[in-house]
Amino acid sequence: AQKVTQAQTEISVVEKEDVTLDCVYETRDTTYYLFWYKQPPSGELVFLIRRNSFDEQNEISGRYSWNFQKSTSSFNFTITASQVVDSAVYFCALSEVNRDDKIIFGKGTRLHILP
Amino acid sequence: EAGVVQSPRYKIIEKKQPVAFWCNPISGHNTLYWYLQNLGQGPELLIRYENEEAVDDSQLPKDRFSAERLKGVDSTLKIQPAELGDSAVYLCASSQTSGGRTDTQYFGPGTRLTVL
């Protein structure tokens, strides 16, 4: 079965702190993609990253980094030196090649960065 | 490059009234999606189009929901009649599909529907 679990419903940190958002997924397929999207108060889902199942290299983009570990079925997202503009709901998602790349989203983690 | 455009951004209607949402995808994207997002939840797919063809509408409540993408570009999602439980955000997304593989989906700002 396809499933994405974001156990952290809501997180609050003070500006400049580092924060990690957890994502655990379930899939029976060997070929799949993992995603992170950001949804600020304006409502638009902003694409952050897509990672395929054969690429376990960690990714860094500015203050954002992602840790993909197939052994634990996790795809965690870390924001370093958080800023108030990082406040948003963050969604982890999974798509499987054998399911026509249909995306299944987690329930999201609401992140509050306090000034 | 313009992103996915949706209108209206907000809509308030009384129950049993009809409502329609419009989406214009990113130029060149042949695949278009409509998603429903309830409060505190992730988006859930309602329908997926590849060009003019609805290739996945298994989650679309066909008794009251309908969608069309007549020329393979813009799309309209309609609810008739609306019910209280339809209050949610309706998101449109687009992507490029070729050779049976789909690229990353990009989302519009959504339409927030309130049914009174």
Side-chain angles (χ1 to χ4, degrees):
Chain A
Q2 231 183 349
K3 188 177 178 182
V4 176
T5 301
Q6 294 181 254
Q8 303 150 308
T9 304
E10 203 159 344
I11 300 174
S12 294
V13 299
V14 177
E15 195 173 20
K16 298 184 183 177
E17 289 185 352
D18 300 347
V19 58
T20 296
L21 308 182
D22 298 333
C23 173
V24 174
Y25 62 93
E26 293 179 29
T27 177
R28 294 179 181 174
D29 279 12
T30 56
T31 306
Y32 53 90
Y33 290 89
L34 295 164
F35 305 80
W36 277 95
Y37 284 86
K38 173 183 179 180
Q39 190 172 41
S42 60
E44 182 172 349
L45 273 163
V46 178
F47 167 74
L48 296 178
I49 189 170
R50 170 170 129 152
R51 171 69 72 211
N52 77 56
S53 52
F54 298 108
D55 183 1
E56 281 192 78
Q57 266 194 325
N58 290 334
E59 174 106 3
I60 298 175
S61 176
R63 297 182 297 105
Y64 294 172
S65 62
W66 291 270
N67 181 266
F68 177 25
Q69 293 199 343
K70 290 177 78 170
S71 60
T72 56
S73 297
S74 64
F75 187 45
N76 296 338
F77 172 32
T78 297
I79 301 175
T80 304
S82 61
Q83 300 177 1
V84 173
V85 293
D86 296 326
S87 297
V89 180
Y90 290 86
F91 290 96
C92 181
L94 164 73
S95 71
E96 296 171 334
V97 170
N98 288 335
R99 292 180 184 266
D100 296 324
D101 295 314
K102 182 175 180 177
I103 291 185
I104 301 297
F105 286 86
K107 292 188 175 182
T109 296
R110 183 174 296 277
L111 177 63
H112 301 277
I113 308 297
L114 308 172
Chain B
E1 181 181 310
V4 176
V5 179
Q6 289 187 248
S7 69
R9 290 295 313 278
Y10 304 91
K11 188 73 176 179
I12 301 174
I13 61 172
E14 294 190 346
K15 63 181 181 182
K16 300 184 181 180
Q17 294 300 306
V19 64
F21 315 124
W22 175 81
C23 173
N24 182 249
I26 291 173
S27 177
H29 281 188
N30 58 354
T31 304
L32 184 146
Y33 312 77
W34 284 102
Y35 285 87
L36 166 69
Q37 186 178 20
N38 286 307
L39 191 64
Q41 303 292 317
E44 298 176 359
L45 181 69
L46 288 172
I47 189 168
R48 166 178 169 165
Y49 282 94
E50 285 185 22
N51 301 304
E52 303 88 358
E53 183 183 0
V55 296
D56 183 356
D57 63 355
S58 56
Q59 301 301 310
L60 189 72
K62 299 180 183 63
D63 56 337
R64 297 183 301 106
F65 286 64
S66 64
E68 59 184 16
R69 193 185 185 203
L70 294 176
K71 295 182 179 180
V73 180
D74 295 3
S75 176
T76 302
L77 177 68
K78 297 178 182 177
I79 307 175
Q80 182 169 11
E83 297 178 351
L84 294 176
D86 296 331
S87 295
V89 175
Y90 292 83
L91 293 162
C92 180
S94 71
S95 67
Q96 181 63 31
T97 299
S98 61
R101 298 309 324 282
T102 300
D103 207 345
T104 298
Q105 293 182 32
Y106 294 91
F107 286 78
T111 297
R112 182 176 297 277
L113 174 67
T114 302
V115 182
L116 302 175

